[in-house]
Short mmCIF file of all heavy atoms in Angstrom, two decimals:
data_model
loop_
_atom_site.label_atom_id
_atom_site.label_comp_id
_atom_site.label_asym_id
_atom_site.label_seq_id
_atom_site.Cartn_x
_atom_site.Cartn_y
_atom_site.Cartn_z
N THR A 47 13.10 -8.21 -21.57
CA THR A 47 12.92 -6.91 -22.24
C THR A 47 14.13 -6.64 -23.13
O THR A 47 15.27 -6.79 -22.67
CB THR A 47 12.75 -5.77 -21.23
OG1 THR A 47 11.63 -6.07 -20.40
CG2 THR A 47 12.53 -4.46 -21.92
N ARG A 48 13.90 -6.28 -24.36
CA ARG A 48 14.96 -5.95 -25.30
C ARG A 48 14.75 -4.50 -25.83
O ARG A 48 13.67 -3.96 -25.70
CB ARG A 48 14.94 -6.90 -26.49
CG ARG A 48 15.12 -8.38 -26.08
CD ARG A 48 15.05 -9.26 -27.32
NE ARG A 48 15.18 -10.69 -27.00
CZ ARG A 48 14.19 -11.46 -26.70
NH1 ARG A 48 12.96 -10.99 -26.69
NH2 ARG A 48 14.41 -12.72 -26.41
N PRO A 49 15.76 -3.90 -26.43
CA PRO A 49 15.57 -2.55 -27.02
C PRO A 49 14.76 -2.57 -28.30
O PRO A 49 15.27 -2.26 -29.38
CB PRO A 49 17.01 -2.05 -27.26
CG PRO A 49 17.78 -3.36 -27.50
CD PRO A 49 17.18 -4.38 -26.57
N GLU A 50 13.49 -2.95 -28.15
CA GLU A 50 12.61 -3.11 -29.28
C GLU A 50 11.55 -1.98 -29.25
O GLU A 50 10.43 -2.18 -28.77
CB GLU A 50 11.97 -4.51 -29.29
CG GLU A 50 13.00 -5.63 -29.43
CD GLU A 50 12.40 -7.00 -29.36
OE1 GLU A 50 11.53 -7.25 -28.50
OE2 GLU A 50 12.79 -7.88 -30.16
N LEU A 51 11.97 -0.86 -29.75
CA LEU A 51 11.09 0.32 -29.70
C LEU A 51 10.69 0.80 -31.12
O LEU A 51 9.95 1.80 -31.23
CB LEU A 51 11.73 1.48 -28.95
CG LEU A 51 11.91 1.18 -27.46
CD1 LEU A 51 13.31 0.87 -27.09
CD2 LEU A 51 11.39 2.32 -26.61
N GLY A 52 11.10 0.13 -32.14
CA GLY A 52 10.71 0.49 -33.48
C GLY A 52 9.21 0.36 -33.64
O GLY A 52 8.65 -0.69 -33.37
N SER A 54 7.06 1.81 -31.81
CA SER A 54 6.43 1.84 -30.47
C SER A 54 5.65 3.18 -30.26
O SER A 54 5.90 4.15 -30.92
CB SER A 54 7.47 1.72 -29.36
OG SER A 54 8.29 2.86 -29.32
N HIS A 55 4.78 3.14 -29.29
CA HIS A 55 4.03 4.35 -28.93
C HIS A 55 4.99 5.42 -28.39
O HIS A 55 4.79 6.61 -28.67
CB HIS A 55 2.94 4.03 -27.88
CG HIS A 55 1.98 5.13 -27.65
ND1 HIS A 55 1.12 5.59 -28.59
CD2 HIS A 55 1.77 5.94 -26.55
CE1 HIS A 55 0.41 6.61 -28.10
NE2 HIS A 55 0.78 6.82 -26.87
N TYR A 56 6.01 4.98 -27.67
CA TYR A 56 7.00 5.92 -27.13
C TYR A 56 7.72 6.64 -28.22
O TYR A 56 7.85 7.88 -28.16
CB TYR A 56 7.99 5.17 -26.24
CG TYR A 56 9.09 6.01 -25.65
CD1 TYR A 56 8.80 7.12 -24.84
CD2 TYR A 56 10.43 5.72 -25.90
CE1 TYR A 56 9.82 7.89 -24.29
CE2 TYR A 56 11.45 6.47 -25.37
CZ TYR A 56 11.13 7.60 -24.57
OH TYR A 56 12.13 8.36 -24.03
N TYR A 57 8.20 5.92 -29.25
CA TYR A 57 8.86 6.56 -30.35
C TYR A 57 7.94 7.50 -31.11
O TYR A 57 8.39 8.55 -31.61
CB TYR A 57 9.43 5.50 -31.31
CG TYR A 57 10.87 5.10 -30.99
CD1 TYR A 57 11.43 5.29 -29.73
CD2 TYR A 57 11.66 4.56 -31.98
CE1 TYR A 57 12.71 4.93 -29.48
CE2 TYR A 57 12.99 4.19 -31.69
CZ TYR A 57 13.50 4.38 -30.46
OH TYR A 57 14.83 4.02 -30.21
N GLU A 58 6.68 7.15 -31.19
CA GLU A 58 5.73 8.04 -31.84
C GLU A 58 5.60 9.37 -31.08
O GLU A 58 5.57 10.43 -31.66
CB GLU A 58 4.35 7.38 -31.93
CG GLU A 58 3.30 8.24 -32.61
CD GLU A 58 1.93 7.60 -32.62
OE1 GLU A 58 1.69 6.65 -31.84
OE2 GLU A 58 1.09 8.01 -33.41
N ARG A 59 5.56 9.25 -29.72
CA ARG A 59 5.41 10.44 -28.90
C ARG A 59 6.62 11.38 -28.96
O ARG A 59 6.48 12.58 -28.97
CB ARG A 59 5.20 10.03 -27.44
CG ARG A 59 3.90 9.29 -27.19
CD ARG A 59 2.70 10.18 -27.29
NE ARG A 59 2.67 11.21 -26.29
CZ ARG A 59 1.79 12.20 -26.25
NH1 ARG A 59 0.85 12.29 -27.16
NH2 ARG A 59 1.84 13.12 -25.28
N ILE A 60 7.83 10.78 -29.04
CA ILE A 60 9.03 11.64 -29.05
C ILE A 60 9.53 11.86 -30.50
O ILE A 60 10.58 12.42 -30.70
CB ILE A 60 10.16 11.03 -28.21
CG1 ILE A 60 10.64 9.69 -28.79
CG2 ILE A 60 9.72 10.85 -26.74
CD1 ILE A 60 11.88 9.15 -28.08
N LYS A 61 8.73 11.39 -31.47
CA LYS A 61 9.03 11.59 -32.88
C LYS A 61 10.36 11.01 -33.28
O LYS A 61 11.17 11.59 -34.03
CB LYS A 61 8.94 13.07 -33.26
CG LYS A 61 7.54 13.66 -33.12
CD LYS A 61 7.50 15.13 -33.48
CE LYS A 61 6.09 15.65 -33.58
NZ LYS A 61 5.20 15.19 -32.48
N ALA A 62 10.65 9.80 -32.76
CA ALA A 62 11.93 9.13 -33.10
C ALA A 62 11.60 8.13 -34.23
O ALA A 62 10.51 7.60 -34.37
CB ALA A 62 12.45 8.34 -31.88
N SER A 98 1.99 -4.53 -23.64
CA SER A 98 1.80 -4.35 -25.06
C SER A 98 2.07 -2.90 -25.46
O SER A 98 3.19 -2.44 -25.29
CB SER A 98 0.38 -4.78 -25.47
OG SER A 98 -0.59 -4.11 -24.65
N GLU A 99 1.07 -2.18 -25.97
CA GLU A 99 1.33 -0.76 -26.33
C GLU A 99 1.72 0.06 -25.12
O GLU A 99 1.02 0.09 -24.12
CB GLU A 99 0.04 -0.17 -26.97
CG GLU A 99 0.28 1.22 -27.51
CD GLU A 99 -0.97 1.79 -28.18
OE1 GLU A 99 -2.10 1.32 -27.86
OE2 GLU A 99 -0.84 2.70 -28.97
N GLY A 100 2.86 0.69 -25.24
CA GLY A 100 3.36 1.52 -24.11
C GLY A 100 4.33 0.76 -23.20
O GLY A 100 5.02 1.38 -22.42
N GLY A 101 4.35 -0.55 -23.32
CA GLY A 101 5.32 -1.34 -22.60
C GLY A 101 5.06 -1.51 -21.10
O GLY A 101 3.94 -1.35 -20.63
N LEU A 102 6.10 -1.80 -20.39
CA LEU A 102 6.04 -2.09 -18.94
C LEU A 102 5.45 -0.92 -18.12
O LEU A 102 4.66 -1.13 -17.22
CB LEU A 102 7.46 -2.44 -18.44
CG LEU A 102 7.70 -2.56 -16.96
CD1 LEU A 102 6.77 -3.60 -16.34
CD2 LEU A 102 9.14 -2.87 -16.68
N GLY A 103 5.92 0.31 -18.45
CA GLY A 103 5.46 1.47 -17.66
C GLY A 103 3.96 1.62 -17.73
O GLY A 103 3.31 1.86 -16.72
N VAL A 104 3.41 1.49 -18.92
CA VAL A 104 1.94 1.66 -19.11
C VAL A 104 1.18 0.51 -18.46
O VAL A 104 0.16 0.69 -17.80
CB VAL A 104 1.58 1.80 -20.59
CG1 VAL A 104 0.07 1.75 -20.76
CG2 VAL A 104 2.16 3.09 -21.13
N LEU A 119 8.60 -0.03 -8.35
CA LEU A 119 9.25 -0.87 -9.35
C LEU A 119 10.69 -0.43 -9.52
O LEU A 119 11.02 0.74 -9.57
CB LEU A 119 8.53 -0.73 -10.71
CG LEU A 119 9.12 -1.54 -11.84
CD1 LEU A 119 8.84 -3.03 -11.64
CD2 LEU A 119 8.56 -1.12 -13.20
N PHE A 120 11.60 -1.46 -9.56
CA PHE A 120 13.04 -1.21 -9.67
C PHE A 120 13.50 -1.71 -11.04
O PHE A 120 13.56 -2.90 -11.30
CB PHE A 120 13.79 -1.87 -8.56
CG PHE A 120 13.42 -1.35 -7.20
CD1 PHE A 120 12.32 -1.83 -6.50
CD2 PHE A 120 14.15 -0.31 -6.64
CE1 PHE A 120 11.96 -1.34 -5.26
CE2 PHE A 120 13.80 0.20 -5.39
CZ PHE A 120 12.71 -0.30 -4.70
N LEU A 121 13.80 -0.76 -11.93
CA LEU A 121 14.20 -1.17 -13.29
C LEU A 121 15.49 -1.98 -13.33
O LEU A 121 15.74 -2.74 -14.24
CB LEU A 121 14.37 0.07 -14.16
CG LEU A 121 13.09 0.94 -14.33
CD1 LEU A 121 13.37 2.10 -15.30
CD2 LEU A 121 11.92 0.11 -14.84
N SER A 122 16.33 -1.81 -12.32
CA SER A 122 17.58 -2.60 -12.27
C SER A 122 17.31 -4.08 -12.13
O SER A 122 18.18 -4.89 -12.44
CB SER A 122 18.42 -2.12 -11.09
OG SER A 122 17.76 -2.25 -9.85
N VAL A 124 14.72 -5.70 -13.69
CA VAL A 124 14.02 -6.21 -14.85
C VAL A 124 15.03 -6.87 -15.78
O VAL A 124 16.10 -6.35 -16.05
CB VAL A 124 13.33 -5.04 -15.60
CG1 VAL A 124 12.68 -5.54 -16.88
CG2 VAL A 124 12.30 -4.39 -14.70
N TRP A 126 16.96 -7.67 -18.78
CA TRP A 126 17.25 -6.84 -19.95
C TRP A 126 18.27 -7.58 -20.84
O TRP A 126 19.24 -8.14 -20.35
CB TRP A 126 17.80 -5.50 -19.52
CG TRP A 126 18.36 -4.68 -20.64
CD1 TRP A 126 19.67 -4.56 -21.05
CD2 TRP A 126 17.61 -3.87 -21.55
NE1 TRP A 126 19.78 -3.70 -22.11
CE2 TRP A 126 18.56 -3.27 -22.46
CE3 TRP A 126 16.24 -3.59 -21.68
CZ2 TRP A 126 18.12 -2.41 -23.45
CZ3 TRP A 126 15.84 -2.72 -22.72
CH2 TRP A 126 16.77 -2.15 -23.57
N ARG A 129 22.53 -4.00 -25.63
CA ARG A 129 23.77 -3.28 -25.34
C ARG A 129 23.51 -2.06 -24.47
O ARG A 129 24.07 -1.89 -23.40
CB ARG A 129 24.47 -2.86 -26.63
CG ARG A 129 25.06 -4.03 -27.38
CD ARG A 129 25.85 -3.50 -28.57
NE ARG A 129 26.50 -4.58 -29.31
CZ ARG A 129 27.27 -4.43 -30.38
NH1 ARG A 129 27.45 -3.17 -30.87
NH2 ARG A 129 27.80 -5.44 -30.99
N GLU A 130 22.68 -1.15 -24.97
CA GLU A 130 22.47 0.13 -24.27
C GLU A 130 21.27 -0.02 -23.31
O GLU A 130 20.13 -0.09 -23.72
CB GLU A 130 22.20 1.24 -25.27
CG GLU A 130 22.19 2.61 -24.63
CD GLU A 130 21.98 3.74 -25.65
OE1 GLU A 130 21.71 3.43 -26.83
OE2 GLU A 130 22.09 4.89 -25.25
N LYS A 131 21.58 -0.01 -22.03
CA LYS A 131 20.55 -0.16 -21.01
C LYS A 131 20.13 1.21 -20.50
O LYS A 131 20.94 1.90 -19.88
CB LYS A 131 21.05 -1.02 -19.86
CG LYS A 131 19.97 -1.44 -18.87
CD LYS A 131 20.54 -2.41 -17.82
CE LYS A 131 19.43 -2.91 -16.88
NZ LYS A 131 19.98 -3.83 -15.88
N ARG A 132 18.93 1.57 -20.81
CA ARG A 132 18.42 2.93 -20.46
C ARG A 132 17.07 2.80 -19.78
O ARG A 132 16.26 1.87 -20.08
CB ARG A 132 18.27 3.80 -21.69
CG ARG A 132 19.57 4.21 -22.32
CD ARG A 132 19.41 4.94 -23.63
NE ARG A 132 18.21 5.78 -23.75
CZ ARG A 132 17.97 6.58 -24.79
NH1 ARG A 132 18.84 6.66 -25.77
NH2 ARG A 132 16.88 7.31 -24.85
N ASN A 133 16.79 3.70 -18.85
CA ASN A 133 15.52 3.68 -18.12
C ASN A 133 14.32 3.74 -19.07
O ASN A 133 13.36 2.98 -18.93
CB ASN A 133 15.43 4.85 -17.14
CG ASN A 133 16.42 4.71 -15.97
OD1 ASN A 133 16.80 3.59 -15.63
ND2 ASN A 133 16.80 5.83 -15.41
N ASP A 134 14.38 4.69 -20.02
CA ASP A 134 13.22 4.80 -20.94
C ASP A 134 13.04 3.61 -21.82
O ASP A 134 11.94 3.26 -22.18
CB ASP A 134 13.33 6.13 -21.78
CG ASP A 134 14.62 6.22 -22.58
OD1 ASP A 134 15.61 5.48 -22.26
OD2 ASP A 134 14.63 7.02 -23.53
N PHE A 135 14.17 2.96 -22.24
CA PHE A 135 14.05 1.79 -23.05
C PHE A 135 13.39 0.66 -22.28
O PHE A 135 12.51 -0.04 -22.80
CB PHE A 135 15.44 1.33 -23.52
CG PHE A 135 16.06 2.12 -24.65
CD1 PHE A 135 15.40 3.30 -25.11
CD2 PHE A 135 17.21 1.75 -25.21
CE1 PHE A 135 15.93 4.03 -26.12
CE2 PHE A 135 17.76 2.50 -26.28
CZ PHE A 135 17.12 3.66 -26.73
N ILE A 136 13.79 0.46 -21.03
CA ILE A 136 13.17 -0.61 -20.20
C ILE A 136 11.69 -0.32 -19.96
O ILE A 136 10.85 -1.21 -20.03
CB ILE A 136 13.91 -0.76 -18.88
CG1 ILE A 136 15.38 -1.10 -19.12
CG2 ILE A 136 13.23 -1.83 -18.01
CD1 ILE A 136 16.20 -1.11 -17.87
N LEU A 137 11.38 0.92 -19.70
CA LEU A 137 9.98 1.30 -19.40
C LEU A 137 9.05 1.20 -20.56
O LEU A 137 7.89 0.75 -20.43
CB LEU A 137 9.93 2.76 -18.90
CG LEU A 137 10.09 2.97 -17.37
CD1 LEU A 137 10.06 4.45 -17.07
CD2 LEU A 137 8.97 2.24 -16.64
N PHE A 138 9.53 1.54 -21.77
CA PHE A 138 8.60 1.69 -22.90
C PHE A 138 8.89 0.71 -24.06
O PHE A 138 8.18 0.83 -25.10
CB PHE A 138 8.62 3.11 -23.40
CG PHE A 138 8.24 4.11 -22.31
CD1 PHE A 138 9.12 5.08 -21.91
CD2 PHE A 138 7.00 4.05 -21.70
CE1 PHE A 138 8.79 5.98 -20.91
CE2 PHE A 138 6.64 4.93 -20.68
CZ PHE A 138 7.54 5.92 -20.30
N SER A 139 9.85 -0.14 -23.94
CA SER A 139 10.05 -1.18 -24.98
C SER A 139 8.76 -1.98 -25.12
O SER A 139 8.06 -2.23 -24.11
CB SER A 139 11.20 -2.11 -24.60
OG SER A 139 11.19 -3.28 -25.40
N GLU A 140 8.44 -2.41 -26.32
CA GLU A 140 7.22 -3.18 -26.54
C GLU A 140 7.56 -4.60 -26.91
O GLU A 140 6.85 -5.28 -27.68
CB GLU A 140 6.37 -2.51 -27.59
CG GLU A 140 5.86 -1.13 -27.10
CD GLU A 140 4.87 -0.43 -28.02
OE1 GLU A 140 4.55 -1.02 -29.08
OE2 GLU A 140 4.45 0.69 -27.70
N SER A 141 8.62 -5.17 -26.32
CA SER A 141 8.97 -6.58 -26.53
C SER A 141 7.77 -7.46 -26.18
O SER A 141 7.06 -7.22 -25.21
CB SER A 141 10.16 -6.95 -25.61
OG SER A 141 11.33 -6.28 -25.99
N ARG A 144 5.70 -10.61 -22.51
CA ARG A 144 6.09 -10.13 -21.17
C ARG A 144 4.80 -9.82 -20.36
O ARG A 144 3.82 -9.34 -20.95
CB ARG A 144 6.94 -8.86 -21.27
CG ARG A 144 8.29 -9.07 -21.92
CD ARG A 144 9.10 -7.80 -22.00
NE ARG A 144 8.32 -6.77 -22.70
CZ ARG A 144 8.35 -5.50 -22.36
NH1 ARG A 144 9.07 -5.04 -21.33
NH2 ARG A 144 7.67 -4.63 -23.05
N ILE A 180 8.86 4.63 -9.63
CA ILE A 180 9.76 3.76 -10.42
C ILE A 180 11.19 4.26 -10.24
O ILE A 180 11.48 5.49 -10.38
CB ILE A 180 9.35 3.79 -11.92
CG1 ILE A 180 7.94 3.24 -12.10
CG2 ILE A 180 10.35 3.02 -12.78
CD1 ILE A 180 7.43 3.33 -13.52
N PHE A 181 12.08 3.34 -9.88
CA PHE A 181 13.47 3.66 -9.63
C PHE A 181 14.32 3.16 -10.80
O PHE A 181 14.14 2.03 -11.31
CB PHE A 181 13.92 3.04 -8.33
CG PHE A 181 13.11 3.53 -7.14
CD1 PHE A 181 11.95 2.88 -6.79
CD2 PHE A 181 13.53 4.65 -6.46
CE1 PHE A 181 11.19 3.34 -5.70
CE2 PHE A 181 12.81 5.10 -5.37
CZ PHE A 181 11.61 4.44 -4.96
N GLY A 182 15.29 3.97 -11.24
CA GLY A 182 16.06 3.65 -12.41
C GLY A 182 17.11 2.62 -12.19
O GLY A 182 17.29 2.07 -11.12
N ILE A 183 17.92 2.38 -13.23
CA ILE A 183 18.89 1.29 -13.22
C ILE A 183 20.04 1.58 -12.26
O ILE A 183 20.76 0.65 -11.85
CB ILE A 183 19.46 1.04 -14.65
CG1 ILE A 183 20.02 2.33 -15.23
CG2 ILE A 183 18.39 0.47 -15.53
CD1 ILE A 183 20.63 2.17 -16.62
N LYS A 184 20.21 2.81 -11.81
CA LYS A 184 21.23 3.16 -10.86
C LYS A 184 20.61 3.44 -9.46
O LYS A 184 21.26 3.94 -8.57
CB LYS A 184 22.01 4.38 -11.29
CG LYS A 184 22.80 4.13 -12.57
CD LYS A 184 23.63 5.35 -12.97
CE LYS A 184 24.42 5.08 -14.27
NZ LYS A 184 25.20 6.24 -14.71
N GLU A 186 18.18 5.54 -8.89
CA GLU A 186 17.60 6.89 -8.83
C GLU A 186 16.13 6.87 -9.06
O GLU A 186 15.62 6.04 -9.81
CB GLU A 186 18.35 7.79 -9.83
CG GLU A 186 17.92 7.62 -11.27
CD GLU A 186 18.52 6.44 -11.99
OE1 GLU A 186 19.09 5.54 -11.32
OE2 GLU A 186 18.40 6.38 -13.23
N GLY A 187 15.42 7.82 -8.45
CA GLY A 187 13.99 7.92 -8.73
C GLY A 187 13.77 8.55 -10.06
O GLY A 187 14.33 9.60 -10.40
N CYS A 188 13.00 7.91 -10.92
CA CYS A 188 12.79 8.49 -12.27
C CYS A 188 11.29 8.71 -12.54
O CYS A 188 10.97 9.48 -13.47
CB CYS A 188 13.40 7.61 -13.35
SG CYS A 188 12.84 5.92 -13.43
N VAL A 189 10.40 8.11 -11.78
CA VAL A 189 8.95 8.37 -11.92
C VAL A 189 8.34 8.34 -10.54
O VAL A 189 8.61 7.41 -9.73
CB VAL A 189 8.27 7.28 -12.77
CG1 VAL A 189 6.76 7.49 -12.78
CG2 VAL A 189 8.77 7.33 -14.21
#
Side-chain angles (χ1 to χ4, degrees):
T47 302
R48 302 179 181 88
E50 297 178 318
L51 292 105
S54 68
H55 190 65
Y56 177 59
Y57 267 23
E58 180 183 19
R59 295 289 295 174
I60 65 174
K61 295 180 170 43
S98 53
E99 185 180 23
L102 169 59
V104 172
L119 180 71
F120 298 86
L121 299 184
S122 58
V124 176
W126 171 262
R129 288 186 178 180
E130 188 177 9
K131 189 174 185 180
R132 290 173 34 174
N133 292 333
D134 57 341
F135 284 6
I136 300 173
L137 269 177
F138 303 118
S139 166
E140 295 185 2
S141 294
R144 295 180 303 144
I180 299 176
F181 300 88
I183 55 179
K184 296 181 180 179
E186 76 282 13
C188 59
V189 174

